[in-house]
Amino acid sequence: MGLKKRLTLFSVCFLCYFCVFSQDIKTIILKDTITYSEENTQKIIEFGEFIDASIHNNEPELFLSKLDKDVFFKRILDLIPSVDPQDEYVKSFVSGMKKGLNKFPNEIIAEVENGSYYDFISYRYDQTLQTYFALFRLYSSESGMNYHDFRIHKKDGEMQFSDMYLYISGENLTETLARVMTYTMPDKKLFGLIKTPMDEGISDLIKAMTYNNTGDFKKAYKLMNGITSPLSKEKFFLIFKSLVASNVDDDKYLKSLEDLINTFSDDPTIGLNKVDYHIYKGNYYEAIQVINQLQNETEDDFLNYMKANVAFQDENYDLALNYYKYTIENYTGFFEGQAGYLNTLVMMKKNSEAVDYLDTLIADSYEKPSLIDYIEEDDEFGENILEDLVKSKEYKIWKRKKK
C-alpha cells in the first residue's frame, strides 16, 4: 500500500512538455467565479460522472474534452511572470506539452484495465477561490492510493477543469509544468531573473526519469542521489526520489521518505507519504492518525480499508476486523477487503466463522475451486497466511462438501 510503484503517472506529469502541436497563447481570464447553487452543484455531479465514465469506457478523448486548455496553459505561464507569452520560443514550448497531457487519461485507463479503481468520490465548493473541486480516487493493490482533485472552470455554461492537484506529486499539475519550463528554458528567455541552469541537476533528473521509464531504477536513484543543488530540496523532487527508491530497496525508500518528511514536516499535502513512513517504522498508531486526517480532508470512507490494513499489521485484529467489515459492507465485490476480512478471522482463530464466510462469498458468485486455490496457495516467499485454516478440521469438512 502507499506510494510504491506509482511512477508512470508522475513521469507523464513531469515530462509532458515533449513533442509539438499548434497552440496560440490567448488572453484568458483565469478567475473562476462560479456561484454556489443547486444547479451548479448538479452540474458538478454530472461532470464527475462524465469523467468517471470516460475512464471506464476507455474514451480518453471525452476526458480531454473537459479540459479547458486555454486556461490550463495560461495558469502555467502566469506562474512564470518574467516570461513573454508571445515569444515564439515560449509558444513552441507550450505547444510541446500536449503529447504528455494527452497521455494522462490513457495512463489512468491502463491502470484501470490492470485492476485499479478510479472513482469520483466527492465535490466541494471553495469560497475563497469561488469555484468547485471534484475529487477522484485512484487505487490498486499494487500501487496503493492516489487522489486527483480537479479544479473546475465554467465556460459557456459548461463545467470543465483547468487544473488538477495530484496527491502523488503534492502540487497542482500546472505548478509541476511551470517548474519544468523554468528549469529547461534558456536563461535569456527568463530575462536573468531565474537561475536554474541544466548543469545544476535538471539534466540528471531528466536522465533519471528516462532510466525509471525503462525500469532501471538503480541507475535512476544513483543519478538523483548525486544531485545536491537546491533542486534536491524541492518537494516534487523528494517525492519522485522516494518513488524511485521504493523500487530499489527498503532502506533507500525509508531514507528518502525521511528526507521528504523532515524537509516538509508541516506540509499537509504529503499525508500518503507519511502513512508509508510510519508503517515502515512500525508506528501504526501514528499511521492511522494520518489516515484519519486524510479522511477528514477527502471525506473518503474507503480509507477505512487502509486503516484495516494498518491495524492488521499491528496485530490489532479486533480493530482490523471492524474496519474490514465496514469495507465489505460498503464496497461489495471488493476482493481485497473480503480477503482482509477472511485473513483476520483466521488470525483470530475463528475458523468456523471463516468457513461460514467462504459460503457467503460463494453465494456472492465466487467459485469454490477458485477460493480453494486462493486459500491454499503460497505467496512469493513460500508462505501462506491462511495455513492454520487449511490445516483446520472446519476447512477440511468445508472443502469436502459438494457445494
Side-chain angles (χ1 to χ4, degrees):
M1 61 185 291
L3 291 175
K4 286 190 172 183
K5 301 179 183 177
R6 283 180 290 174
L7 289 160
T8 306
L9 287 176
F10 190 99
S11 299
V12 169
C13 296
F14 190 85
L15 294 178
C16 65
Y17 59 88
F18 287 122
C19 208
V20 175
F21 78 107
S22 178
Q23 172 81 29
D24 292 329
I25 307 299
K26 302 177 182 178
T27 301
I28 301 296
I29 299 175
L30 295 184
K31 195 172 183 181
D32 297 304
T33 59
I34 302 175
T35 57
Y36 180 81
S37 68
E38 289 187 11
E39 180 183 0
N40 283 334
T41 296
Q42 182 58 37
K43 287 184 177 181
I44 293 301
I45 294 172
E46 292 170 358
F47 167 89
E49 293 172 346
F50 183 94
I51 293 292
D52 195 300
S54 73
I55 294 299
H56 291 95
N57 294 334
N58 194 3
E59 296 176 310
E61 67 283 354
L62 293 184
F63 181 101
L64 290 168
S65 74
K66 289 296 184 181
L67 170 62
D68 190 321
K69 293 185 175 69
D70 293 333
V71 176
F72 179 81
F73 290 126
K74 184 65 164 57
R75 289 195 193 283
I76 295 171
L77 294 177
D78 278 4
L79 290 169
I80 317 174
S82 59
V83 171
D84 178 8
Q86 299 305 320
D87 181 272
E88 290 302 318
Y89 183 92
V90 174
K91 287 184 179 182
S92 175
F93 198 100
V94 169
S95 71
M97 296 178 183
K98 185 178 182 182
K99 183 176 181 180
L101 196 61
N102 287 349
K103 283 184 177 180
F104 190 81
N106 288 309
E107 293 295 342
I108 301 173
I109 289 168
E111 292 256 350
V112 170
E113 290 177 343
N114 288 326
S116 297
Y117 299 85
Y118 195 70
D119 299 292
F120 171 49
I121 60 173
S122 65
Y123 65 88
R124 73 183 191 280
Y125 185 80
D126 190 303
Q127 291 285 357
T128 302
L129 297 175
Q130 292 186 289
T131 191
Y132 286 86
F133 287 80
L135 187 66
F136 288 73
R137 178 206 318 117
L138 177 63
Y139 170 80
S140 83
S141 56
E142 288 258 334
S143 58
M145 190 83 74
N146 190 17
Y147 291 98
H148 299 161
D149 199 19
F150 290 68
R151 178 172 178 164
I152 305 302
H153 187 87
K154 196 172 184 179
K155 182 178 182 180
D156 299 328
E158 179 185 354
M159 297 299 182
Q160 297 186 315
F161 70 97
S162 61
D163 207 347
M164 183 191 301
Y165 183 88
L166 303 175
Y167 278 58
I168 191 174
S169 63
E171 64 183 7
N172 289 315
L173 183 54
T174 54
E175 293 176 291
T176 302
L177 297 178
R179 180 184 293 105
V180 173
M181 288 185 69
T182 302
Y183 287 153
T184 56
M185 289 176 63
D187 286 346
K188 63 181 181 179
K189 297 296 181 183
L190 299 171
F191 303 103
L193 298 177
I194 304 174
K195 294 294 183 182
T196 52
M198 293 285 280
D199 59 6
E200 289 189 6
I202 191 65
S203 61
D204 282 342
L205 175 58
I206 293 175
K207 289 178 185 176
M209 299 197 82
T210 301
Y211 282 130
N212 161 71
N213 291 339
T214 60
D216 199 336
F217 304 115
K218 289 184 178 179
K219 285 185 178 179
Y221 179 83
K222 184 177 180 180
L223 275 172
M224 295 190 73
N225 203 43
I227 296 173
T228 59
S229 67
L231 172 66
S232 67
K233 299 300 181 183
E234 297 222 21
K235 182 169 64 173
F236 88 99
F237 179 93
L238 292 171
I239 289 177
F240 180 59
K241 185 178 179 182
S242 72
L243 287 163
V244 174
S246 72
N247 289 282
V248 179
D249 62 54
D250 288 348
D251 289 339
K252 289 181 174 59
Y253 182 49
L254 185 58
K255 176 61 168 60
S256 297
L257 286 176
E258 287 178 340
D259 290 344
L260 170 64
I261 293 169
N262 290 337
T263 305
F264 296 93
S265 57
D266 298 324
D267 192 324
T269 67
I270 59 171
L272 291 173
N273 311 73
K274 289 181 178 179
V275 171
D276 263 20
Y277 174 76
H278 287 309
I279 290 173
Y280 268 76
K281 296 289 286 186
N283 303 328
Y284 300 113
Y285 174 80
E286 289 82 356
I288 287 183
Q289 293 307 303
V290 176
I291 296 173
N292 283 335
Q293 293 171 9
L294 279 170
Q295 193 164 4
N296 289 335
E297 176 187 337
T298 62
E299 299 181 359
D300 184 11
D301 65 349
F302 184 78
L303 287 167
N304 286 317
Y305 171 66
M306 286 185 68
K307 287 188 276 188
N309 290 338
V310 174
F312 186 90
Q313 288 186 251
D314 193 27
E315 300 181 5
N316 188 343
Y317 298 123
D318 287 325
L319 183 61
L321 193 69
N322 286 334
Y323 282 130
Y324 282 130
K325 187 173 187 293
Y326 180 93
T327 301
I328 63 177
E329 288 176 348
N330 291 275
Y331 292 87
T332 56
F334 176 52
F335 183 71
E336 285 91 340
Q338 295 166 330
Y341 186 78
L342 176 65
N343 294 346
T344 306
L345 288 173
V346 174
M347 299 305 292
M348 298 174 77
K349 310 297 183 185
K350 294 184 176 183
N351 291 327
S352 293
E353 291 185 36
V355 295
D356 287 344
Y357 185 58
L358 292 175
D359 286 332
T360 299
L361 292 176
I362 291 173
D364 287 341
S365 77
Y366 286 98
E367 296 181 352
K368 187 170 183 176
S370 297
L371 288 174
I372 291 172
D373 289 342
Y374 170 75
I375 293 164
E376 299 184 3
E377 184 180 36
D378 289 343
D379 63 21
E380 59 185 310
F381 304 107
E383 300 175 352
N384 184 358
I385 195 173
L386 298 174
E387 184 176 1
D388 287 346
L389 177 63
V390 174
K391 294 179 178 179
S392 71
K393 177 180 66 176
E394 294 89 347
Y395 176 76
K396 291 176 181 178
I397 293 172
W398 175 84
K399 184 178 179 181
R400 288 197 298 268
K401 288 193 304 184
K402 291 183 179 181
K403 292 185 179 180

